[in-house]
Amino acid sequence: MKLTKTLARYFYKKYLITLFYSLIISTVFVFIVDTAELSRRISKTGDGDIILSLKLAFLKLPEMVFEIFPFIILFGSLATFYNMAKSSELVIFRSSGISIWKILSPPILIVTVIGFFLILVLQPFIAFTSSKYKELEARHIRGQTSLITLSENGLWLKEEKLEDNSYYIIHSLGMDKRYGNIENVIFFNYQENGNLLRRIDADNAKLSDKKWVLSDAWIKEYEQSVFYEKYSVKTNLTIDQIQENFSPPETISFWALPNFISIAEEAGFASQRHKTRFFNLIVFPFFLIAMVLASAPFSINYIRTSKTNILVFGGILTGLAVYTLSSVSLAFGSSGAINPFLSAIITPIIAITGSITILLYTEES
């Protein structure tokens, strides 16, 4: 038996309303917890500014909601199926000849549309707010005075020199992260007010023991140029900091990731984390579908007994297991232990095929 238009609209409306409540509750909870945690971290720096905590929490909120969205889908699906089973609606629909697949088709269609909308439309905005959050968090909480970016023009570093109220802008076409070498490098030394103090051009710069060691350097200062075979510039940067902090994957939009990966590899940087993030975004809608299917077996065969709570708890545990498996596989992909695409696709495949197998058994029994 097919779903009538009226019945289909009823399913769509009921599921969307439940998802909306799940989204609101999760968002408020995440915001409160993040605000409290950020206030605690800020207070340790000696500046308990609640305004800064709220600002950071608002900037962090979109990325956090995006990260927990699979759980929002899981809880929304469990609640919808549970309420429909509790009110005997599922029993009536199934006794009328409506298959479980017809009942699941509205939720699956909804989360598919939501998933692609999040990735293609909202994710660039989420990446922007995440970038602003990490910039402020690094400056006000972790006390980092260095900014690192990578573009088609090469590697750009900005490091503040607090002892003399100046800063360096460093430019290079790339970096050999194994040895900490950058070639054809330019150091621009500016005063805090933006006035250029000096410019240093060098064939090579090696990062070692809290300093840049420049080879064959020309220093231009006050219209005079001086040549040094070796010249040192103090720094607080390390090779690991440069590798880890140049444009984290979550701060780059879905549309810009492929080009960024290409630029990073040409500049000598590892791009495993960015590749894993890109493939994870591609399969994200299928991960949401997996959460819908994972929740279904624990709600469809609802029985009015004490086993009800066990079934719901089982659905939550299954969702946690799926999410944990996804996190572990993505961690392996980011580290280069397994192929990035495989690390992103393996969890949806296991969850979807496993859920379909259980539902097929349920439908035939």
Side-chain angles (χ1 to χ4, degrees):
M1 179 179 175
K2 295 183 178 180
L3 285 176
T4 63
K5 291 184 178 180
T6 302
L7 197 55
R9 282 198 298 268
Y10 173 77
F11 280 158
Y12 285 127
K13 181 179 179 181
K14 193 176 188 68
Y15 189 65
L16 283 172
I17 290 175
T18 308
L19 278 187
F20 177 75
Y21 284 127
S22 180
L23 174 63
I24 294 299
I25 294 172
S26 301
T27 301
V28 172
F29 177 77
V30 168
F31 180 75
I32 292 174
V33 172
D34 271 344
T35 302
E37 173 63 15
L38 288 168
S39 297
R40 182 190 66 81
R41 293 177 63 191
I42 291 174
S43 65
K44 286 187 175 182
T45 66
D47 183 13
D49 188 354
I50 186 63
I51 302 300
L52 178 60
S53 301
L54 291 172
K55 184 177 181 179
L56 288 171
F58 271 116
L59 290 173
K60 188 181 180 182
L61 185 62
E63 176 65 23
M64 289 300 298
V65 172
F66 181 80
E67 290 297 323
I68 68 168
F69 205 81
F71 279 113
I72 294 174
I73 296 297
L74 174 69
F75 295 143
S77 300
L78 280 171
T80 301
F81 297 143
Y82 174 81
N83 289 330
M84 291 178 67
K86 187 177 181 181
S87 62
S88 300
E89 289 174 297
L90 286 181
V91 176
I92 296 172
F93 294 149
R94 297 195 69 187
S95 62
S96 300
I98 300 176
S99 70
I100 186 62
W101 311 111
K102 295 295 183 181
I103 296 174
L104 289 175
S105 58
I108 289 175
L109 180 59
I110 288 173
V111 299
T112 302
V113 173
I114 291 175
F116 281 109
F117 179 77
L118 281 173
I119 298 305
L120 302 178
V121 179
L122 290 185
Q123 194 275 334
F125 170 75
I126 295 172
F128 173 77
T129 58
S130 181
S131 176
K132 292 298 182 183
Y133 162 77
K134 288 187 177 297
E135 181 180 333
L136 289 176
E137 188 258 353
R139 182 176 302 168
H140 294 286
I141 297 181
R142 288 186 283 141
Q144 291 185 356
T145 57
S146 303
L147 298 176
I148 305 168
T149 59
L150 192 66
S151 69
E152 293 180 353
N153 296 323
L155 178 68
W156 291 89
L157 310 175
K158 179 182 178 181
E159 183 175 14
E160 297 180 7
K161 311 293 288 184
L162 299 178
E163 60 271 16
D164 59 1
N165 294 323
S166 67
Y167 60 90
Y168 277 103
I169 299 292
I170 307 170
H171 174 256
S172 174
L173 295 179
M175 180 176 184
D176 184 345
K177 65 178 186 300
R178 293 174 299 175
Y179 305 107
N181 290 334
I182 54 178
E183 297 181 350
N184 298 321
V185 61
I186 305 175
F187 284 69
F188 298 96
N189 188 197
Y190 289 93
Q191 287 181 326
E192 190 177 26
N193 59 13
N195 292 330
L196 180 64
L197 294 175
R198 58 179 175 167
R199 168 175 170 164
I200 308 173
D201 294 76
D203 292 339
N204 179 277
K206 180 179 177 62
L207 184 57
S208 176
D209 297 328
K210 295 292 184 179
K211 63 182 178 180
W212 291 102
V213 180
L214 282 61
S215 301
D216 298 329
W218 284 94
I219 301 179
K220 184 176 182 180
E221 186 175 5
Y222 304 116
E223 302 300 328
Q224 294 182 352
S225 296
V226 181
F227 177 79
Y228 293 88
E229 289 187 3
K230 296 290 183 180
Y231 188 83
S232 297
V233 177
K234 291 182 179 179
T235 181
N236 292 318
L237 291 170
T238 65
I239 298 175
D240 290 338
Q241 282 180 329
I242 294 176
Q243 175 66 42
E244 293 174 2
N245 291 290
F246 84 100
S247 299
E250 59 271 20
T251 65
I252 305 174
S253 76
F254 171 77
W255 303 103
L257 268 172
N259 187 49
F260 185 90
I261 291 170
S262 176
I263 293 172
E265 291 181 340
E266 290 178 2
F269 286 92
S271 60
Q272 290 297 116
R273 289 194 305 155
H274 298 79
K275 287 181 179 178
T276 303
R277 173 72 172 184
F278 178 67
F279 290 126
N280 184 43
L281 292 176
I282 290 178
V283 304
F284 185 75
F286 302 99
F287 188 44
L288 299 185
I289 294 174
M291 284 299 192
V292 174
L293 293 175
S295 67
F298 298 93
S299 306
I300 296 303
N301 287 333
Y302 171 81
I303 301 175
R304 296 176 181 274
T305 67
S306 59
K307 293 182 179 180
T308 301
N309 294 333
I310 298 177
L311 288 174
V312 174
F313 186 65
I316 295 175
L317 284 181
T318 301
L320 287 172
V322 172
Y323 190 84
T324 302
L325 176 61
S326 175
S327 299
V328 171
S329 63
L330 291 175
F332 278 119
S334 297
S335 66
I338 60 176
N339 182 275
F341 178 73
L342 179 62
S343 71
I345 197 66
I346 188 171
T347 301
I349 288 178
I350 292 175
I352 290 175
T353 54
S355 299
I356 289 176
T357 301
I358 296 174
L359 289 171
L360 283 172
Y361 174 79
T362 302
E363 187 73 357
E364 293 176 359
S365 60

